Amino acid sequence: MYDQEKIKPYSQDGSKTEQVIKMFDNIAPAYDKLNHLMSFGIDRRWRKRAINSLRSKHPHVILDMATGTGDFAILACKELHPDKLIGTDISEGMIDIGRQKVKGVGLDDVIQFTCEDCCHLSFDSDSFDAITVAFGVRNFSELDKGLIEMCRVLRKGGSLVILELSAPEHFPMKQLFFLYSKIIIPAMGRFISKDSSAYHYLPNTIQAFPQGEVMKGILEKAGFTDVKFKRLTCGVCTLYIANK
């Protein structure tokens, strides 16, 4: 078990999956606003960078794991023009907002949403040309199982792209990020979402999540090849790219 799998939003009683569902259902209405606010809008640039890494692959069928309210799914469709994109999440509250957004931009004939447990996907093996996960993999209840499942449903020659927040390693960004994540993020989360526990939990998972070379090894163990990673914005975010 990895450290981030032990961290739960509300208490140590009950499963992490159940608590993460409750947390994201609670913060769903404020989620997009807080994401952009807390990253100073840089998260949009990170998403664009991740999607650009798939351009040469021309994926026809994409799976967007931990899709949340669908921002990444919508951008991927606009930029990559797949025939079909399926967004999955364990929070119906997040997905409901995603459905409204997708309908609003006229992409409901391409993007579909479904509630799925990342460790037990309902899709057939070799179903997708590409799989994306933006800022959600650290919330997996069992990281190894989730990655193995993604490898199973990805077609041979397909690509996995993961964007995840990470803790900077060097002065002064390391110290600044620590203060920001421990003081500013919980305060903003409490004020806007009214769920202070959620925005204590989320920074804690960033610190505990496997990063860089360690995460590369975990991806390789799950069955992925040609694993590469790139730290973005002084190490605040990391982009992982792998193939099957």
Side-chain angles (χ1 to χ4, degrees), residues 1 10 125 202:
M1 178 179 287
Y10 299 112
S125 298
L202 292 168

Side-chain angles (χ1 to χ4, degrees), residues 59-63 77 82-86 109-112 128:
H60 295 287
V61 185
I62 299 174
L63 174 64
C77 275
D83 299 324
K84 182 178 182 181
L85 187 151
I86 297 178
D109 58 333
V110 179
I111 300 175
Q112 301 173 10
F128 300 94

Side-chain angles (χ1 to χ4, degrees), residues 2-20:
Y2 303 107
D3 287 344
Q4 102 285 347
E5 294 174 359
K6 304 172 187 175
I7 301 172
K8 300 177 183 179
Y10 299 112
S11 75
Q12 288 306 305
D13 298 325
S15 74
K16 177 170 180 173
T17 298
E18 291 171 348
Q19 292 190 36
V20 169

